[in-house]
Amino acid sequence: MTDKFSRKLAPEPRVAFQKAEMQPILDVYGRLVIAGEARDYAIGMDKDVAIFAIFRRHAENPTWRIEKEPALANRQGQYAVYGPAGHILRRGRELKQVLRVFDTRRFTVVK
């Protein structure tokens, strides 16, 4: 006898930012909006990485990307901030420590 009902496979688990992680990220985004350096953001989730992208303008590539990759937690740290050219500005195990790159004025956005 054949089974007429197809079994649904469980969806693949995805990496996502937790609520406690989103608060400091949104605080940084809010400061960038007030300073006029950001206008939009996007959140992406995949099976191995979660991305919070910050855009200066809507139709451009992201100016900054905050990524969470749990596979690197024991090596380089699971959090990273990438600049507009795709280079790593800061990487570490603690999110608040990584987000400190936005506190310093070591970089400026060129208009």
Side-chain angles (χ1 to χ4, degrees):
M1 185 171 194
T2 61
D3 186 15
K4 293 184 180 182
F5 299 105
S6 63
R7 292 185 181 192
K8 289 187 178 180
L9 297 175
E12 279 190 23
R14 292 181 178 215
V15 176
F17 290 106
Q18 303 300 317
K19 186 176 181 179
E21 296 168 329
M22 285 301 295
Q23 188 59 50
I25 292 173
L26 290 173
D27 288 344
V28 166
Y29 173 71
R31 281 187 278 140
L32 291 172
V33 169
I34 290 171
E37 296 180 14
R39 287 199 174 152
D40 199 7
Y41 71 90
I43 299 174
M45 295 177 283
D46 200 9
K47 65 179 183 175
D48 57 349
V49 66
I51 301 170
F52 187 93
I54 301 172
F55 296 86
R56 180 149 176 86
R57 292 187 182 84
H58 302 292
E60 291 183 349
N61 292 330
T63 307
W64 298 283
R65 287 186 341 254
I66 302 166
E67 293 190 3
K68 175 185 176 180
E69 192 170 355
L72 299 176
N74 292 330
R75 289 186 243 154
Q76 303 164 344
Q78 67 179 344
Y79 301 106
V81 175
Y82 291 86
H87 57 283
I88 297 174
L89 299 176
R90 195 159 198 179
R91 179 181 289 280
R93 290 181 173 88
E94 298 290 327
L95 180 61
K96 289 186 180 186
Q97 194 72 10
V98 172
L99 293 178
R100 285 180 139 186
V101 72
F102 292 103
D103 293 340
T104 60
R105 286 295 179 197
R106 291 188 296 181
F107 63 92
T108 58
V109 176
V110 179
K111 296 181 182 180

